Amino acid sequence: MIKRNTKAKQMILESLKTSKSAISQDNLQAQLGDLVDRATIYRVLNSFYEDGVVHKIVGDDGKQYFAYCRNCSEKSHHHNHFHFRCLNCGKIECLPNEMEVNLPEKYRTINFNGFISGYCSLC
């Protein structure tokens, strides 16, 4: 749920929704150009993450990537899946299969960051 809706938030959300892969702050900056400044993009992405609008992926390159939550509800998020980064084209995509990690008793998962690098089917 987006709290205070601004033009910048709407533009960033639209970019995330239409993207076929997870995107970084740099990707968004390149897409939006001078329409939204870097600090605003950073702040909005992190507020979307905190509000459960997007999930965050930390890539093997150390960058943070964000993907719009497509199959989640406000109370139920499903992000225990691997992510794939193509070493040729750079695309980051969420892989479809959810993973179940059996933790010891009384442990609980807050974040899952599974990451695979290789070459996509187009490369």
Side-chain angles (χ1 to χ4, degrees):
M1 153 123 29
I2 298 174
K3 294 173 184 159
R4 194 173 142 256
N5 202 4
T6 64
K7 186 172 181 164
K9 278 187 176 182
Q10 202 55 44
M11 291 170 67
I12 293 168
L13 183 62
E14 194 57 37
S15 290
L16 290 162
K17 281 182 172 181
T18 58
S19 178
K20 295 187 186 324
S21 61
I23 52 180
S24 69
Q25 179 181 357
D26 295 337
N27 297 136
L28 276 168
Q29 186 70 61
Q31 283 179 19
L32 300 173
D34 294 334
L35 298 172
V36 183
D37 67 81
R38 187 173 186 76
T40 300
I41 293 171
Y42 177 79
R43 191 172 53 254
V44 168
L45 286 173
N46 283 300
S47 88
F48 282 171
Y49 174 69
E50 289 171 10
D51 293 343
V53 175
V54 299
H55 68 281
K56 185 182 339 185
I57 302 126
V58 179
D60 60 350
D61 56 359
K63 283 187 179 181
Q64 293 181 354
Y65 296 87
F66 298 84
Y68 181 70
C69 291
R70 297 189 191 283
N71 299 316
C72 300
S73 68
E74 192 171 324
K75 295 186 190 251
S76 176
H77 290 273
H78 305 282
H79 304 297
N80 291 350
H81 54 260
F82 281 96
H83 300 90
F84 184 88
R85 179 171 72 97
C86 180
L87 296 171
N88 188 47
C89 67
K91 179 174 74 172
I92 306 275
E93 59 186 309
C94 298
L95 298 178
N97 298 341
E98 289 290 319
M99 305 298 296
E100 187 164 325
V101 179
N102 294 318
L103 296 174
E105 191 175 325
K106 297 186 181 179
Y107 283 61
R108 61 188 179 109
T109 303
I110 299 297
N111 186 29
F112 179 92
N113 195 44
F115 208 83
I116 302 168
S117 298
Y119 297 96
C120 73
S121 62
L122 300 176
C123 293

